[in-house]
């Protein structure tokens, strides 16, 4: 069974995800809506692609930071 979702519901869901990324990811991880229109296109799938790229780049950045961070010095008792 195929479930169809209205375009307005899709846009609302993508807007919620966009706002969450803007609130919790590094600045610039997700281009503005206007920039997405120019870079990817104006459609819902274009916005979804831009969001996916922002998520992957943020995860990659966090992962890279965790493996390049030097370990804490050990505390030795005398």
């Amino acid at each position: 069974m195929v479930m169809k979702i209205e375009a307005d519901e899709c846009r609302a869901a993508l807007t919620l995800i966009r706002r969450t990324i803007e609130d919790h990811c590094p600045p610039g991880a997700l281009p503005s809506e206007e920039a997405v229109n120019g870079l990817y296109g104006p459609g819902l799938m274009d916005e979804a692609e831009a969001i996916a790229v922002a998520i992957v780049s943020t995860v990659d950045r966090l992962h890279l930071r965790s493996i390049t961070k030097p370990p804490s010095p050990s505390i030795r008792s005398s």
Side-chain angles (χ1 to χ4, degrees):
M1 180 174 161
V2 175
M3 185 172 139
K4 291 192 178 192
I5 301 173
E6 296 294 322
D8 289 343
E9 291 176 337
C10 289
R11 185 155 311 280
L14 290 172
T15 298
L16 174 63
I17 297 167
R18 168 177 276 285
R19 299 300 171 247
T20 302
I21 290 172
E22 291 172 344
D23 289 346
H24 298 283
C25 291
L30 180 61
S32 69
E33 292 179 58
E34 295 79 21
V36 168
N37 288 341
L39 294 168
Y40 296 91
L44 294 174
M45 290 303 294
D46 301 315
E47 176 74 4
E49 181 181 1
I51 288 170
V53 168
I55 292 168
V56 170
S57 69
T58 299
V59 169
D60 285 348
R61 200 175 307 158
L62 292 172
H63 178 70
L64 182 61
R65 188 181 328 157
S66 72
I67 59 175
T68 59
K69 184 177 177 183
S72 300
S74 61
I75 300 173
R76 296 182 185 181
S77 59
S78 300

